[in-house]
Amino acid sequence: RELLLAEARRPFDLAAGPVLRALVLRHGPRDHTVMLTLHHIAVDGESLDTVATELAALYAAARDGAAPSLPPAPQYAAFARREQAAGARLASGLDHWTARLAGARPVPLPR
């Protein structure tokens, strides 16, 4: 437990790296803990699901002595198309809040 907590609290050095760390603890011949610590600069929230799915597939294949079967790698062009398609929705949201906040004055905050 202490090793896992210490690893979780260890800061990243973005200048020197790495931005992805792995720690494997062996508790017994068939009992291990694998801890992956990833900086958000390397893996964002949306990509984390892909990382978890692919790691699970690789682990299952290694456990079963089979060749891993991974889905094709995501393509940047597909991502760009999704982002462009969301542009209209984002623009309508911006228009909504611009109209709603028209004439609003900033809240005075203490210094």
Side-chain angles (χ1 to χ4, degrees):
R1 178 174 164 83
E2 291 78 24
L3 287 172
L4 294 172
L5 288 172
E7 178 62 20
R9 291 182 179 133
R10 189 163 59 107
F12 287 93
D13 180 350
L14 296 179
V19 293
L20 184 150
R21 298 188 303 245
L23 174 67
V24 179
L25 300 176
R26 184 175 192 170
H27 310 289
R30 298 181 55 108
D31 184 15
H32 301 79
T33 298
V34 176
M35 178 179 182
L36 296 178
T37 310
L38 307 117
H39 192 280
H40 66 90
I41 200 168
V43 178
D44 64 1
E46 190 172 326
S47 301
L48 194 54
D49 185 47
T50 301
V51 170
T53 300
E54 290 184 2
L55 281 174
L58 292 169
Y59 177 81
R63 179 196 62 214
D64 300 338
S69 174
L70 296 176
Q75 299 299 308
Y76 181 76
F79 168 78
R81 281 192 293 277
R82 284 194 308 275
E83 289 293 304
Q84 284 182 334
R89 180 179 50 83
L90 296 174
S92 69
L94 179 61
D95 293 342
H96 166 80
W97 286 107
T98 300
R100 176 108 186 201
L101 296 172
R105 296 178 59 211
V107 176
L109 298 174
R111 292 182 183 208

